[in-house]
Amino acid sequence: RIGGLSVFAAAINRMLDDFSWRPGFKEIFEAYPACVHALRTLYCEEIEAVLDRDEVGTEDDVRLRQRVSEAYAELRMTDGHFDLLIDQFRQGLAHLDIDEADIEEAGARFARFRPEVTAAHRAAFEQATALCTPAWKRELLEATGEARLAKFAQSLREKVSSHPVMCQTPLHEIEGGVPFEQQLQRYLRAGEGQEPLCPLALPEKLGLSKSTRLVFVLAAHSALKAGGIAAEAADAIHLIMLQEWSRTDP
């Protein structure tokens, strides 16, 4: 109905092309170029199966879902990532002058793979939340010390100030009146049921786009490592920040 498989393929490739330069996604795609190639190959070879709802639950459908899961695994995409992908896919079809009803149908067929696309993140997030107990956070705070916290905060300020998108917002507004090191300290010191939802968060009043907020999450992850925070701890904090980012409005 939408003009053949080639139209669907064109929309998928346009979606991947657009995200290869979009702030937030650009950094992820550049870090995992093999994944992007795998996704292009996947959709090139499996377009008909992706479009075919009649195959749901069949042996071929199980095989396809496994392949989708494997192709997206390293990217660890959240529901927030996937929502943006679906939105961009629909925009790609609209750019090709496809009728609105057909765009919604194609989007729904693509969206049925949400569990496979987000499976790796969900598994990693569960591990991170199990790790980040109040006792573990107190130990991390003691092991980190003031010097590393300061180094982390300085690194994050430099990354934010030098990023072509983030630098458009004054640094003191991004910190929201609470320096980055104090935000992280507050998260690590809080007891069970008292901790902030997110170790580091941008003030909502800034009205930044979801992609720009993702840039901040990625910069914070890099700054944690640059500050000397243990890799396992930096990854766990990053996953918690990603999950909270995913829940925010576009």
Side-chain angles (χ1 to χ4, degrees):
R1 289 171 53 193
I2 65 172
L5 299 179
S6 60
V7 173
F8 191 85
I12 290 285
N13 280 313
R14 181 182 177 84
M15 174 188 75
L16 294 173
D17 288 341
D18 287 346
F19 279 106
S20 68
W21 56 261
R22 177 183 288 203
F25 281 82
K26 176 177 181 289
E27 290 83 349
I28 297 172
F29 281 14
E30 286 180 347
Y32 300 100
C35 289
V36 180
H37 176 72
L39 291 177
R40 292 188 189 278
T41 302
L42 166 69
Y43 291 121
C44 177
E45 297 176 354
E46 302 281 8
I47 286 178
E48 187 170 4
V50 170
L51 283 173
D52 191 355
R53 277 192 166 175
D54 295 333
E55 288 196 0
V56 174
T58 65
E59 184 175 324
D60 284 342
D61 184 53
V62 172
R63 175 196 59 76
L64 174 60
R65 288 179 181 276
Q66 179 61 32
R67 188 173 179 189
V68 170
S69 181
E70 291 172 354
Y72 279 94
E74 282 193 280
L75 298 178
R76 289 188 175 183
M77 288 194 167
T78 66
D79 283 304
H81 290 106
F82 192 67
D83 288 340
L84 291 175
L85 285 176
I86 289 293
D87 182 63
Q88 193 64 43
F89 171 62
R90 290 191 175 112
Q91 289 184 38
L93 289 174
H95 180 76
L96 296 170
D97 295 326
I98 306 302
D99 290 341
E100 184 62 32
D102 291 333
I103 290 175
E104 289 304 311
E105 176 66 17
R109 295 191 179 200
F110 184 70
R112 68 188 172 98
F113 295 98
R114 178 185 295 272
E116 288 71 33
V117 172
T118 60
H121 169 76
R122 291 199 310 275
F125 175 68
E126 288 176 5
Q127 293 177 351
T129 52
L131 178 68
C132 293
T133 63
W136 178 87
K137 289 191 291 184
R138 286 193 298 271
E139 291 178 3
L140 175 61
L141 181 59
E142 292 174 3
T144 300
E146 297 289 340
R148 287 181 179 174
L149 282 171
K151 187 177 180 181
F152 145 73
Q154 181 59 31
S155 176
L156 182 51
R157 291 186 187 106
E158 291 173 356
K159 293 178 185 303
V160 167
S161 299
S162 63
H163 195 281
V165 173
M166 294 295 293
C167 71
Q168 298 175 27
T169 304
L171 185 59
H172 72 275
E173 292 185 14
I174 290 176
E175 287 189 304
V178 182
F180 293 136
E181 59 266 47
Q182 291 183 22
Q183 292 184 41
L184 186 56
Q185 280 180 327
R186 183 173 57 188
Y187 174 77
L188 296 176
R189 283 175 176 163
E192 187 171 359
Q194 300 175 332
E195 65 268 20
L197 289 176
C198 191
L200 299 160
L202 292 169
E204 293 184 7
K205 65 180 181 180
L206 295 181
L208 299 175
S209 71
K210 199 172 182 87
S211 290
T212 299
R213 282 175 275 163
L214 178 57
V215 169
F216 177 75
V217 173
L218 296 175
H221 187 208
S222 179
L224 286 166
K225 293 182 176 180
I229 309 298
E232 181 184 43
D235 290 346
I237 291 171
H238 171 61
L239 285 164
I240 291 170
M241 290 182 67
L242 263 184
Q243 185 67 10
E244 291 305 316
W245 166 83
S246 178
R247 293 170 179 168
T248 60
D249 295 330

